[in-house]
Amino acid sequence: MSVSVLGAGAFGTALAITLAERGVTLWARDPDAATAMQKTRENATRLKGIHLPEGLTVTSDLTTACAADTILMAVPMQSTAAFVTENADLLRGKKLVACSKGVDLTSLRGPTAILAEVTRAPAIITGPSFAIDIARGLPTALTLACKNPILGEELQETLSSATIRLYRSTDPVGAELGGALKNVIAIAAGAVMGAGLGESARAALITRGFAEMMRIAGPLGAIPETLMGLSGFGDLTLTCTSPTSRNYAYGFALGQGADYDPTITVEGAATARAVARLARDKDIEMPITSVVAALVEGRLDVSQGMQTLLSRPLKEEI
């Protein structure tokens, strides 16, 4: 089975590196960047110092990349819908695997719902992972979720590597929700630490954030227990505790009242806004998500956000 990765960001490049032993094509939108990567054998912008193995071919020709049987979609979440629409003829009927995390701000859909426009059984790879760890060959365990169990087994076999262990799930909605929602909580956790509120406050926030993730899972069509696995609790643990996380680092900057590099994609910012809308529409209580949405929109500062959460009515823990 031939494999391509669409999107030469850090995560897409890292996945391509792990699959290079069996041959993989990595598509980069910028022709100059693709030429440079193919020649220098390095993605100097996203993964500086990491060698691109010889089994990895970089191209800016989308038609060539889409000739593969299996396509890993590492396009940023907020660009996925437009990309699929623009390239529907090339993608239709392929084995598509989402590799982005988030909720589309316009349609309030996750990545597999968007990919379902052009393929019957879209899958998703998600879980606790930093691109640099994957690229360096450090051991990583991820969830591969697909409603079709036979296709899921096939993809698991094709996409696993010596350093990436894939666990199957038949709940792609739950898997993608875990990957999306943990970024929102990571922003809040970073803000807590940036504001100097302490480890105890962060632990409480992570715990209550996980309760919010579980609360919305069922109404959105997911199996809540899925979020107890790698794609939910596992990813939440990693992202809320490491400064390597872009979402955590963004939240930390918010907590300090500092600027954050606007060229760095922070999917949790858009996801917070989208999920806050979903929660209101479905009358689901998600106070942390609502506060994060207000923070990224500039409607609250961190001090006001913490006061909003702490002044909520006392209740039983559920």
Side-chain angles (χ1 to χ4, degrees), residues 104-192:
D104 183 74
L105 192 53
T106 301
S107 65
L108 305 184
R109 296 180 298 171
T112 59
I114 293 171
L115 296 185
E117 295 178 1
V118 291
T119 191
R120 285 188 177 182
I124 184 168
I125 286 178
T126 184
S129 57
F130 289 140
I132 189 62
D133 290 345
I134 293 175
R136 287 174 174 163
L138 300 178
T140 306
L142 301 171
T143 297
L144 187 148
C146 181
K147 282 186 178 180
N148 183 324
I150 296 175
L151 178 58
E153 289 185 20
E154 184 180 343
L155 290 170
Q156 181 186 38
E157 183 66 27
T158 299
L159 301 176
S160 292
S161 71
T163 55
I164 291 186
R165 181 175 176 83
L166 297 178
Y167 286 85
R168 289 194 315 277
S169 169
T170 55
D171 180 21
V173 174
E176 69 183 13
L177 276 176
L181 296 171
K182 61 88 185 179
N183 282 336
V184 178
I185 308 307
I187 291 174
V192 164

Side-chain angles (χ1 to χ4, degrees), residues 21-283:
E21 185 173 314
R22 63 188 68 184
V24 65
T25 299
L26 175 64
W27 175 79
R29 184 185 297 275
D30 184 344
D32 292 337
T35 299
M37 281 187 274
Q38 181 67 12
K39 181 179 180 179
T40 64
R41 309 309 299 169
E42 180 187 24
N43 186 341
T45 303
R46 301 299 185 185
L47 287 174
K48 188 175 178 60
I50 302 295
H51 176 71
L52 303 182
E54 294 306 314
L56 191 164
T57 301
V58 187
T59 183
S60 61
D61 187 330
L62 189 58
T63 300
T64 297
C66 289
D69 302 315
T70 299
I71 299 175
L72 275 59
M73 299 286 293
V75 178
M77 182 63 222
Q78 299 306 320
S79 303
T80 297
F83 184 88
V84 169
T85 299
E86 292 167 6
N87 301 290
D89 290 342
L90 290 174
L91 299 172
R92 187 167 286 111
K94 297 287 185 176
K95 297 169 184 174
L96 300 181
V97 183
C99 301
S100 57
K101 299 175 181 179
V103 177
D104 183 74
L105 192 53
T106 301
S107 65
L108 305 184
R109 296 180 298 171
T112 59
I114 293 171
L115 296 185
E117 295 178 1
V118 291
T119 191
R120 285 188 177 182
I124 184 168
I125 286 178
T126 184
S129 57
F130 289 140
I132 189 62
D133 290 345
I134 293 175
R136 287 174 174 163
L138 300 178
T140 306
L142 301 171
T143 297
L144 187 148
C146 181
K147 282 186 178 180
N148 183 324
I150 296 175
L151 178 58
E153 289 185 20
E154 184 180 343
L155 290 170
Q156 181 186 38
E157 183 66 27
T158 299
L159 301 176
S160 292
S161 71
T163 55
I164 291 186
R165 181 175 176 83
L166 297 178
Y167 286 85
R168 289 194 315 277
S169 169
T170 55
D171 180 21
V173 174
E176 69 183 13
L177 276 176
L181 296 171
K182 61 88 185 179
N183 282 336
V184 178
I185 308 307
I187 291 174
V192 164
M193 297 306 291
L197 300 179
E199 298 280 0
S200 298
R202 176 169 62 174
L205 186 138
I206 292 171
T207 305
R208 296 310 302 162
F210 185 62
E212 287 191 15
M213 292 168 62
M214 296 288 286
R215 193 179 303 138
I216 199 171
L220 293 184
I223 301 170
E225 287 76 12
T226 299
L227 277 74
M228 296 179 183
L230 290 166
S231 60
F233 179 75
D235 214 354
L236 181 72
T237 301
L238 177 68
T239 312
C240 289
T241 58
S242 174
T244 301
S245 161
R246 293 169 297 179
N247 292 278
Y248 179 90
Y250 171 71
F252 194 90
L254 285 177
Q256 291 192 317
D259 293 329
Y260 189 75
D261 187 348
T263 66
I264 298 176
T265 301
V266 181
E267 290 289 9
T271 299
R273 296 167 63 197
V275 175
R277 285 169 54 194
L278 281 170
R280 287 195 299 270
D281 291 346
K282 295 183 177 294
D283 195 26

